[in-house]
Amino acid sequence: MAWNQPGGGDRDPWGGGNRNDGPPDLDEVVKNLQKKLGGLFGKSRGNGGGESSGGGGGFPSGIGGKGVAALLVVAAAVWAASGFYIVQPAERGVVLRFGAFGDVTQPGPNWHIPYPIEEVIKVNVDNVENFQVEAHMLTRDENIVDLELKVQYRISAPETYLFRDFAPEKTIRDATETTLREVVGQNPLDSIIVSENRSQIADAVEQGLRTLVERYQTGLEIVGVNIQRAGAPPAVKEAFDDVNKAREDKERFENKAEAYANEIVPRARGASARRLEDAKAYRAQVIAEAEGESARFLSLLGEYKRAPEVTRQRLYLETVEQVYSDTSKVVMDTNSSNNLTYIPLDQLMKQRTRTAPQQEQFDDLGTTAADPGDSQATERVDSRGSRDRRTR
């Protein structure tokens, strides 16, 4: 029997029932479903007043209008409560309304219309990310330099970061390499590999990179750029190491010379200032002495004009006293008197002790000191100019 031929008893080949039975009635299916729901919520009365396990269409009548309202209120409250969320201090909340950007929320508790109307994406804006760039680049003087650069960045505009650029991290990497090649191409190799110039190169790269990142609207912010390594290619590394060593020796010698200059120049200036002050003091002393001598001479001149003889005698006596006060010899005239001469040896010895340092100084200068065994005498000249010899 063919597959489409009816079987015995007007049945299909698969042994089904009578083919005259049509598809199940839709009303009957609905009634059966209502009966099952009525079994879940309990029995309810039908329209005729009798008890039945189901009723007409809609919710079972046993629940009542108040029960349905309570269920709807609870469901609405749960749905509304799902919209509360908390944004951490380091985060910002980006609210999407039907998939499109709506708003940016600040840290703290917030609320949005629950799903499926709105949803929130939290973005960390304080976390600092970094990446490294290693490249071989051509300098202005057509040399190859090996560079290793480290870039630090963070998210500054969450909405721009999420929706403006498809791959902001790749964009910032490409912008970094572009800016680095531009800066390196404007400087010679010597200025790039010198450690003192690396900060200037890094600053130039950072400024150019900030401009490109803002122009591309990536939503990222450059935090810092540091050059980790900058050197010559391996083929010429030894030669450049020698150059760097010579440059360091030059700087060391310059620093040493500068330190010596800083030490000797103030000392020379101090000595010069001291000599100038000594010269000023000596000039003031000489001028004062000259002025004093001039005043004394003028005073003596006045006295001499009033009493020439007396003034002349006075000057003579003062001069003789000054001359003989510094000598250690005593002159005696033994022929003019028969008086016994007494020599005070104890006083002479004290005088010799006091003048010993001066005699040693005279000996050092080649001057012969007086013999302590020589006879000494004092000579005085009275106001009349005669010599009065007295023994001591």
Side-chain angles (χ1 to χ4, degrees), residues 45-305:
R45 293 184 178 272
N47 295 331
E51 293 183 358
S52 63
S53 60
F59 289 96
S61 60
I63 299 178
K66 294 183 179 180
V68 173
L71 290 176
L72 293 177
V73 170
V74 172
V78 173
W79 181 73
S82 65
F84 288 99
Y85 64 98
I86 296 178
V87 179
Q88 299 299 325
E91 297 176 340
R92 298 293 183 272
V94 180
V95 180
L96 304 181
R97 186 173 296 112
F98 296 111
F101 170 71
D103 192 12
V104 176
T105 56
Q106 300 300 317
N110 297 275
W111 183 84
H112 70 93
I113 302 175
Y115 184 84
I117 299 177
E118 289 183 351
E119 61 177 332
V120 177
I121 301 176
K122 298 178 182 179
V123 179
N124 193 323
V125 296
D126 286 350
N127 187 29
V128 177
E129 302 289 342
N130 63 81
F131 63 90
Q132 292 184 350
V133 175
E134 297 182 7
H136 307 281
M137 299 184 179
L138 189 66
T139 61
R140 188 181 67 184
D141 52 358
E142 299 181 356
N143 288 315
I144 301 296
V145 61
D146 295 340
L147 283 174
E148 182 178 347
L149 190 73
K150 182 177 181 180
V151 179
Q152 296 177 328
Y153 68 94
R154 65 181 182 88
I155 300 174
S156 60
E159 67 279 8
T160 305
Y161 173 76
L162 292 176
F163 301 108
R164 287 287 184 179
D165 196 333
F166 178 75
E169 285 80 5
K170 183 178 184 302
T171 301
I172 194 174
R173 285 178 177 271
D174 296 340
T176 300
E177 185 173 355
T178 300
T179 307
L180 183 60
R181 290 186 181 278
E182 180 182 0
V183 174
V184 171
Q186 296 174 355
N187 293 272
L189 178 62
D190 293 340
S191 63
I192 296 175
I193 64 176
V194 174
S195 58
E196 290 78 4
N197 298 335
R198 291 182 183 178
S199 59
Q200 300 177 1
I201 301 296
D203 292 340
V205 173
E206 182 176 355
Q207 294 298 327
L209 184 57
R210 287 179 185 273
T211 303
L212 287 180
V213 169
E214 292 177 358
R215 183 184 304 171
Y216 294 155
Q217 297 183 357
T218 60
L220 300 176
E221 179 184 5
I222 304 301
V223 177
V225 175
N226 297 317
I227 296 180
Q228 303 292 333
R229 182 179 59 85
V236 293
K237 187 176 184 303
E238 295 182 358
F240 276 95
D241 290 341
D242 294 338
V243 173
N244 292 332
K245 185 177 180 181
R247 185 179 292 108
E248 292 175 357
D249 292 340
K250 174 187 175 183
E251 294 177 355
R252 185 174 67 254
F253 288 133
E254 288 179 351
N255 294 333
K256 185 176 180 180
E258 185 177 357
Y260 176 75
N262 294 334
E263 178 183 359
I264 198 65
V265 170
R267 187 184 303 174
R269 290 176 179 173
S272 175
R274 185 175 64 252
R275 291 186 180 181
L276 290 176
E277 294 298 328
D278 292 343
K280 292 179 181 179
Y282 176 73
R283 182 183 65 179
Q285 178 183 359
V286 171
I287 292 175
E289 291 179 355
E291 291 177 351
E293 291 294 332
S294 176
R296 178 175 175 273
F297 178 79
L298 295 175
S299 177
L300 291 175
L301 180 59
E303 295 294 332
Y304 181 79
K305 289 180 179 180

Side-chain angles (χ1 to χ4, degrees), residues 350-366:
K350 291 180 181 180
Q351 184 179 2
R352 181 177 182 276
T353 303
R354 288 195 301 267
T355 59
Q358 296 180 358
Q359 292 176 359
E360 293 178 357
Q361 183 178 2
F362 292 156
D363 292 340
D364 294 338
L365 297 175

